[in-house]
Amino acid sequence: MDSATRLQTILIDSPIGAVLPAIALLNLPDWWLAGGAVRNTVWRSLFGNDCQLVINDFDIAFFDALGNRSQELAAKATLTAQFPDYKFDVKNQASFARWRAGRRPYSSIEDGVTDWLHTATAVGVRLDTQGQWQFFTPYGLDDLFNGIIRPTLAHIHNPDAESKATSFLQKCPCLRLV
């Protein structure tokens, strides 16, 4: 089984499998579900009860150069109404740098996700218009499937990346820090 099929197999029977079709129906431009929901679902699947990482929220990143914060708020409200037990974080990567101090402007959704703190967090999934699963994995899936916490190149000396890595290890001691 290839890595993408393995990832889909893990995610389809998780809360992600239920939420992903609803995200697709929002018709956000150039979107990915990425971040902790994907990472933690995989690590819980691999390490079982030894890993206490859970889905805290669903990070939905999209790219609309002409968009504004109202798109984010409307998408979040729609998803929260459908799934009141879950939290959603919807961010337009095109405008992220305008309101998040210290962030550089992104040129695309892939540029934004590639800049996330850790390689295992920069994994995106979505459904295309035919309902087929698509994946964006700029660093591959080896770190995700091997339980490796590795900062992306832009965040090697970032205290936020170090702090997050420490919290991952506290909740899931099976992981390895690289």
Side-chain angles (χ1 to χ4, degrees):
M1 172 181 328
D2 68 21
S3 294
T5 302
R6 183 178 179 199
L7 180 58
Q8 182 178 341
T9 300
I10 291 170
L11 298 179
I12 203 164
D13 289 324
S14 76
I16 291 172
V19 168
L20 209 56
I23 299 169
L25 289 175
L26 295 173
N27 293 316
L28 291 169
D30 207 8
W31 66 276
W32 292 103
L33 169 66
V38 174
R39 180 198 61 228
N40 293 353
T41 298
V42 171
W43 285 349
R44 285 283 300 218
S45 173
L46 296 174
F47 302 115
N49 292 333
D50 291 336
C51 185
Q52 297 303 310
L53 291 167
V54 296
I55 296 175
N56 295 317
D57 64 5
F58 292 85
D59 294 305
I60 302 154
F62 69 99
F63 196 88
D64 185 353
L66 302 175
N68 57 47
R69 297 290 305 269
S70 65
Q71 286 172 290
E72 298 170 0
L73 298 174
K76 181 177 179 176
T78 299
L79 291 169
T80 301
Q82 288 181 276
F83 302 96
D85 294 333
Y86 297 138
K87 293 181 183 174
F88 297 91
D89 189 15
V90 183
K91 295 290 186 267
N92 182 358
Q93 300 296 288
S95 63
F96 201 64
R98 286 191 292 239
W99 57 267
R100 188 80 179 250
R103 295 294 181 132
R104 67 175 176 81
Y106 298 126
S107 60
S108 68
I109 185 60
E110 290 78 14
D111 184 30
V113 173
T114 300
D115 191 47
W116 289 16
L117 292 178
H118 300 99
T119 57
T121 304
V123 173
V125 299
R126 68 181 174 198
L127 298 178
D128 67 15
T129 55
Q130 287 77 42
Q132 298 299 306
W133 286 65
Q134 295 181 324
F135 303 95
F136 176 64
T137 59
Y139 304 102
L141 293 170
D142 289 347
D143 285 356
L144 180 64
F145 286 131
N146 292 313
I148 294 173
I149 306 167
R150 181 189 322 266
T152 58
L153 288 178
H155 298 285
I156 289 176
H157 301 292
N158 183 334
D160 290 339
E162 293 173 22
S163 171
K164 287 254 187 188
T166 298
S167 74
F168 297 159
L169 287 168
Q170 289 171 346
K171 294 178 182 174
C172 192
C174 305
L175 302 175
R176 293 182 296 138
L177 182 61
V178 175

